[in-house]
Amino acid sequence: MEACINKLKNNKAPGELGIPAEALKALMSEAIEPLTALIQLFWVDRETVFTEWQTAQLKWLFKKGDRKEATNYRGLVLQDA
């Protein structure tokens, strides 16, 4: 797991879990195993565990053109950190 974490690129958008690579790289080696178990549990049981990881607010941002046209907006998802 540590080898995989060290291969992650810095300053990139976090993945599905929202954890940036820099945060994972800063973990102590003792934290890697519990974190791995936590992520694996998230993958196995998404419905009953970690519902806060699955909820977000969707906001619409105006891009350009006529404000009455839905295609002139884009969605932005806001999640708690």
Side-chain angles (χ1 to χ4, degrees):
M1 181 75 169
E2 283 186 69
C4 293
I5 290 174
N6 289 331
K7 289 181 181 180
L8 295 173
K9 295 183 180 180
N10 291 335
N11 302 314
K12 299 292 179 185
E16 184 177 347
L17 298 178
I19 303 171
E22 295 84 355
L24 293 173
K25 289 179 180 181
L27 287 174
M28 296 183 300
S29 59
E30 298 86 23
I32 299 295
E33 189 173 323
L35 178 64
T36 301
L38 190 67
I39 292 171
Q40 288 172 344
L41 183 58
F42 173 73
W43 286 336
V44 171
D45 193 6
R46 291 181 179 212
E47 300 220 353
T48 59
V49 182
F50 308 108
T51 54
E52 64 274 6
W53 287 5
Q54 300 176 28
T55 58
Q57 284 186 326
L58 178 62
K59 298 290 184 180
W60 292 103
L61 297 178
F62 177 69
K63 294 187 302 184
K64 62 180 179 179
D66 184 5
R67 290 187 177 268
K68 294 179 184 176
E69 276 293 319
T71 56
N72 290 332
Y73 290 82
R74 72 174 178 95
L76 175 69
V77 174
L78 304 175
Q79 290 184 303
D80 290 333

